[in-house]
Amino acid sequence: MSKLIDAFGRRIDYLRISVTDRCNLRCAYCMPESGIVTRPHDELLRFEEIARVVRVCASLGIAKIRLTGGEPLVRKDIADLIELLARIDGISDISMTTNGVLLKEHAAQLKHAGLKRVNISLDTLDGDRYKAITRFGKLGDVEGGIREALCAGLSPVKINCLLLDGIDKAEVLKFLALTLEDPIHVRFLEFMPINAFYKNNTAISARDVMDIAGNFRGFDNAGLQGSGPAKVFRFKDSLGTFGTIAPMTDKFCSSCNRLRLTSNGYMKACLHAEAKVDLKGPLRNGIDDEGLIGLIESSVRGKPKEHLLGAGGVEYSEYLMCQIGG
Ligand code: SAM
Ligand code: SF4
């Protein structure tokens, strides 16, 4: 059981690692049209440095790791990092959040390296809308990635669909239908208003998704027990599940179990707080494991009680989602 307990009694056993701030897409809600100034390579934590942080975190009880970005699959030789992490005692689960564009060519290798499961971000099943949202992505690439992830035995394969402007009932139904005959697990996520350059006014809320699902087919209202913040349901006889994640209308901060490591080596205890603890400088200056433990514990001690999005708190972070990892 994790020894990392914050000031509000939450036990921290999950570390999300952003391995790059670069991306092969430019989703309109995530990156400004002009792109971002990417960090020089030597500012990124090297694989050995990430593995050292994870080893020390594991000694404190972190058991679950998620790789994210930017787009994790554009970081060269990412399977080598997965192999390094999979060998660390105490790490029982390695997952990845990806846009899925490069998954077709990498899924089997990632699985072989020790990746267990994958969340694929896909906000629409319409090719034109996909291109408009991602600025130049091709829907067929992601569809190929999803198929390959299933074939490679990554499990579960989840699809994260952000409830963005333009999604309608017909599209929600298309996503729900994906769960019927394949072990695909769709999560509809509420948008978080963290970037000044994108205003979302979607007509479909997480509550609406549940109403649409209820009118589509029968499912058990009790829901399934998920390990994360999603409320999860399954249609009768279907192989996959669906669910909602509502950080705005149904905050889950009180059960948050996460830390985040940015690609340039800062530990952040909350996606929405400015507080961060530098690990890269100390790592490169020869800090020992005791020192590293002290820094990680100080980050946990600074974890705020909850985010204040939509409640007059700081909305626009110095980091973009593509830099912290979502
Ligand atoms: N490139 C990968 C991908 O797209 O899955 C990983 C990084 S991306 C920043 C991680 C997740 O953050 C994606 O699922 C994306 O939809 C989500 N995201 C980005 N901006 C968001 C926002 N303002 N509110 C909620 N989710 C957001
Ligand atoms: Fe890239 Fe993911 Fe951000 Fe889209 S959401 S721009 S795929 S990092």
Side-chain angles (χ1 to χ4, degrees), residues 23 25-27 29-31 70 99 322:
C23 189
L25 296 179
R26 292 281 177 278
C27 300
Y29 55 82
C30 180
M31 285 208 191
N99 61 33
C322 55

Side-chain angles (χ1 to χ4, degrees), residues 20-31 68-72 97-101 121 123 130 133-135 162 321-323 325:
T20 178
D21 53 351
R22 289 165 201 256
C23 189
N24 47 356
L25 296 179
R26 292 281 177 278
C27 300
Y29 55 82
C30 180
M31 285 208 191
T68 176
E71 173 48 41
T97 298
T98 168
N99 61 33
V101 168
S121 304
D123 308 322
Y130 184 76
I133 292 172
T134 59
R135 297 214 176 92
L162 259 190
M321 272 305 233
C322 55
Q323 293 169 317

Side-chain angles (χ1 to χ4, degrees), residues 16 18 20 22-25 27 29-31 67-73 96-100 119-123 160-164 189-195 198 247 271-272 309 320-326:
R16 297 169 72 106
S18 173
T20 178
R22 289 165 201 256
C23 189
N24 47 356
L25 296 179
C27 300
Y29 55 82
C30 180
M31 285 208 191
L67 302 180
T68 176
E71 173 48 41
L73 294 180
M96 178 182 282
T97 298
T98 168
N99 61 33
N119 286 28
I120 299 166
S121 304
L122 181 60
D123 308 322
N160 286 356
C161 169
L162 259 190
L163 294 168
L164 296 174
L189 283 93
E190 271 178 6
F191 179 81
M192 296 180 285
I194 51 172
N195 300 320
Y198 188 88
L271 185 58
H272 305 292
L309 291 178
L320 297 171
M321 272 305 233
C322 55
Q323 293 169 317
I324 324 176

Side-chain angles (χ1 to χ4, degrees), residues 180-198:
L180 297 178
E181 286 175 10
D182 284 303
I184 290 180
H185 305 271
V186 178
R187 304 288 178 259
F188 296 91
L189 283 93
E190 271 178 6
F191 179 81
M192 296 180 285
I194 51 172
N195 300 320
F197 58 81
Y198 188 88

Side-chain angles (χ1 to χ4, degrees), residues 227-286:
S227 62
K231 295 207 164 122
V232 182
F233 305 86
R234 186 191 294 274
F235 292 120
K236 196 167 172 301
D237 299 328
S238 69
L239 291 182
T241 62
F242 66 95
T244 56
I245 301 180
M248 300 302 292
T249 59
D250 194 8
K251 256 193 206 187
F252 39 82
C253 301
S254 64
S255 58
C256 182
N257 60 346
R258 305 163 176 198
L259 282 179
R260 294 182 150 83
L261 183 62
T262 67
S263 57
N264 61 342
Y266 285 91
M267 196 62 101
K268 280 179 71 75
C270 176
L271 185 58
H272 305 292
E274 298 298 304
K276 56 184 185 179
V277 174
D278 180 30
L279 301 187
K280 183 177 81 230
L283 276 169
R284 292 186 182 174
N285 286 322

